[in-house]
Amino acid sequence: QRAPVEAPEQASQRRARDLTWTVSVIPAENLKGVWPIASPLLAPAIDRSGGRIDQQSTYRWIEDGRLLLWFAANADHQVRAAFTTRIAHYPLKSMLVVECLGGSDMHLWVDVANEAFKGYARRAGCEGVEMYGRRGFARALRKFGWKETMVLCEIDASDGA
């Protein structure tokens, strides 16, 4: 199922330390060319998924439209972060879900990403944005009004565990 809204070429921009930061969706038809950039940035989040996803499944889901790939890049076109998102349809509302994110220099682009995700969520008819991630992300997002609303607990149910 493809994403219901086409994101604009540049979702959001901000000047930080004399560079303009852009957070935007990468069209799926460009995936093959940008995957060597995205893959190492997403790898730590994929590794923390508990076996739910891997590089190949993430690539396939971006390719077929179940996930969107986003980049945070500066005016020199240096990509500092990659994100994957999807829309979750719950019984009472829909949310844009940031599933994987990884990169560096978060303090420079986090406000741009926050605005880009909120804007995309509104255009897609979502009531909000939710994210899976480490506690450090919750601390960084607090200043924008994000709240830590739950904790994920899991146990391996396979034999011998």
Side-chain angles (χ1 to χ4, degrees):
Q1 165 180 353
R2 294 200 68 77
V5 173
E6 290 299 318
E9 176 107 356
Q10 295 181 332
S12 188
Q13 290 187 343
R14 171 185 172 265
R15 288 192 59 78
R17 292 194 184 170
D18 299 321
L19 289 176
T20 300
W21 288 86
T22 302
V23 174
S24 56
V25 172
I26 304 304
E29 57 268 16
N30 297 345
L31 181 59
K32 186 175 182 178
V34 301
W35 190 246
I37 299 166
S39 177
L41 292 169
L42 295 173
I46 290 170
D47 291 346
R48 291 178 65 96
S49 75
R52 289 171 180 81
I53 58 174
D54 60 12
Q55 292 278 338
Q56 293 78 21
S57 63
T58 301
Y59 185 97
R60 281 193 311 272
W61 279 32
I62 296 167
E63 187 176 48
D64 72 15
R66 285 182 273 182
L67 290 173
L68 291 177
L69 174 65
W70 301 66
F71 279 166
N74 64 26
D76 293 333
H77 306 288
Q78 297 172 329
V79 176
R80 289 291 185 250
F83 321 87
T84 62
T85 64
R86 66 177 174 82
I87 294 179
H89 299 284
Y90 298 109
L92 300 179
K93 64 181 173 180
S94 295
M95 300 287 283
L96 180 67
V97 181
V98 182
E99 288 204 336
C100 290
L101 86 110
S104 62
D105 299 324
M106 184 178 185
H107 63 285
L108 295 176
W109 49 258
V110 65
D111 58 337
V112 183
N114 179 59
E115 290 304 315
F117 294 146
K118 289 190 325 184
Y120 184 87
R122 281 191 298 272
R123 290 188 304 277
C126 297
E127 290 188 36
V129 184
E130 61 188 32
M131 183 185 85
Y132 302 113
R134 296 179 292 108
R135 282 237 153 86
F137 293 128
R139 285 190 296 274
L141 294 170
R142 221 174 267 135
K143 68 182 175 182
F144 302 109
W146 287 68
K147 294 177 253 163
E148 187 175 333
T149 57
M150 66 179 79
V151 174
L152 175 67
C153 299
E154 65 179 273
I155 190 169
D156 187 340
S158 62
D159 289 342

